[in-house]
Amino acid sequence: APASRSLSHEFRPGSRELPRAISLYSIVMHITLATSLLALPLVALPLVSAPSAGVASAAPTQDATPPGPGVVESATCALCHAASPAAVAMRDAAGRSVAPYDLWRSTMMANSARDPFWRAVMSAEVAAAPSRAADIESKCLSCHTPLAERTGLEDHGTGSLAHALDCDGRLGSLARDGVSCTICHGMSPDGLGTEESFTAGFELDPWRRLFGPHADPFPGPMRMHTGFEPAEGAHVTRSAMCGSCHTLVTHALDETGADTGDEFLEQGPYLEWRNSIYDDERSDPGPHAATCQACHVPRSDADGAEIETRLAHNPGGRDFPFLAPRAPFGRHLFVGGNAFMLTMLRDHAEELG
């Protein structure tokens, strides 16, 4: 997996001196606003991708070498995308927080690496075929700890790649962050929905763009604080993106750990969706057609009203004066049927880290 440099040292979320920070930030942002407006792209070009993946803002066309894919922990994004009592950004019409970071934290996506049932199953698989431990752990960790896997898994002399789940240092921090912001929003649209993209076969954007559904996002704050670039990408609203991890194909092993040559569709929610009345990728979608995100990241609030809100606040916790409310805005609920595990995570939070 390609290495990525750490960018999280560029801010300190826990040390905010609001009056000084806001005044300094206002000065910097006025300068950034002026320069960023000059750099806005004039057109958005489609990238080569599966038909269901949508389009994305064009990558730079000048003779430049992309920095390569990168990831950062969700705490970096929380600086501007968590709720603040001093801002109206990321609130619904009733004033309730719909901030992505706050809603995501209590989901199975955020806790994918802490899930004790998954850890137990992976351990059982390794115990049954110890000679294939590295292969089994690598495949499991690619979806459950994607930030660490994309940075580069190491066993640190333990003999187990699953060591990343509990180790100190940056690798452990990335692993325990689960499926977080820079994975889903950093996915390239190329190849999504194809067999090659299944079982975590997605690619992260080499230009470190983070995609959302909106045209012409204001880039200054994200560039300054994360090193990433906000960009329009319709593929983040399509089911094909979800299918990259929610289609898991494993290879059958015999009692000695040798490949039998058979493949097993261990998990197939995306393919099941494709063969249901909800599939909207077909040429003639029916009246019930809906993407994964339509249910799991709904664009309406708890009262059923469409959400229209500012997408972020500044690092000082105040609203950006130049940002207008936008829609769509998805609530990052990732609701599902696994209520038992969410209850276990809640009741045993300390033991599970």
Side-chain angles (χ1 to χ4, degrees):
S4 65
R5 62 177 180 176
S6 170
L7 300 174
S8 60
H9 65 278
E10 297 179 8
F11 73 101
R12 294 292 183 269
S15 57
R16 299 176 182 170
E17 299 178 13
L18 287 181
R20 183 187 306 172
I22 292 173
S23 60
L24 176 60
Y25 195 81
S26 297
I27 295 172
V28 174
M29 285 311 304
H30 276 89
I31 298 173
T32 307
L33 173 61
T35 56
S36 297
L37 289 175
L38 295 176
L40 286 176
L42 296 179
V43 295
L45 300 176
L47 298 181
V48 177
S49 60
S52 61
V55 298
S57 299
T61 56
Q62 65 270 27
D63 294 331
T65 302
V71 295
V72 294
E73 294 94 325
S74 56
T76 307
C77 307
L79 189 66
C80 293
H81 293 285
S84 169
V88 299
M90 298 171 291
R91 295 189 180 276
D92 63 18
R96 295 167 295 210
S97 171
V98 291
Y101 177 76
D102 300 338
L103 298 177
W104 164 86
R105 286 184 66 189
S106 62
T107 69
M108 290 304 299
M109 300 284 278
N111 292 283
S112 60
R114 293 181 168 88
D115 179 349
F117 181 74
W118 164 73
R119 288 194 181 199
V121 170
M122 180 172 63
S123 297
E125 296 280 356
V126 170
S131 64
R132 303 297 297 271
D135 296 323
I136 294 169
E137 291 173 344
S138 177
K139 179 160 288 190
C140 292
L141 294 169
S142 64
C143 280
H144 282 261
T145 65
L147 280 78
E149 192 272 339
R150 293 298 167 129
T151 301
L153 293 170
E154 299 178 32
D155 65 12
H156 294 157
T158 65
S160 172
L161 294 176
H163 160 74
L165 294 167
D166 302 303
C167 75
D168 296 327
R170 181 159 175 77
L171 182 64
S173 176
L174 289 169
R176 291 185 292 274
D177 210 40
V179 184
S180 61
C181 319
T182 51
I183 290 296
C184 295
H185 288 277
M187 277 191 199
S188 166
D190 296 350
L192 293 181
T194 65
E195 290 188 22
E196 290 74 20
S197 71
F198 299 159
T199 316
F202 63 87
E203 297 292 339
L204 293 177
D205 184 68
W207 293 98
R208 299 198 178 186
R209 292 174 294 176
L210 296 182
F211 298 102
H214 300 288
D216 301 323
F218 183 71
M222 188 178 290
R223 284 177 184 165
M224 182 184 303
H225 292 280
T226 72
F228 287 84
E229 181 87 4
E232 180 185 12
H235 62 288
V236 299
T237 67
R238 310 301 299 166
S239 299
M241 183 183 75
C242 310
S244 56
C245 273
H246 290 280
T247 310
L248 173 61
V249 179
T250 59
H251 295 84
L253 308 176
D254 65 19
E255 62 276 6
T256 68
D259 285 302
T260 67
D262 296 321
E263 291 186 339
F264 175 60
L265 180 62
E266 185 173 312
Q267 298 175 34
Y270 174 63
L271 298 182
E272 293 164 2
W273 169 86
R274 271 187 172 179
N275 287 277
S276 75
I277 61 174
Y278 302 105
D279 176 18
D280 74 340
E281 294 179 357
R282 64 186 65 180
S283 58
D284 56 340
H288 300 288
T291 64
C292 302
Q293 293 88 334
C295 292
H296 297 279
V297 193
R299 299 177 178 186
S300 57
D301 62 23
D303 302 319
E306 182 183 28
I307 300 171
E308 185 174 14
T309 184
R310 296 178 180 182
L311 305 182
H313 57 64
N314 71 32
R318 305 280 181 175
D319 285 311
F320 285 114
F322 46 81
L323 289 188
R326 305 190 80 169
F329 186 97
R331 285 191 293 155
H332 288 51
L333 299 175
F334 300 111
V335 291
N338 203 348
F340 171 78
M341 186 53 61
L342 290 174
T343 301
M344 179 177 285
L345 291 168
R346 181 197 65 194
D347 294 345
H348 302 278
E350 184 174 351
E351 297 95 319
L352 296 173

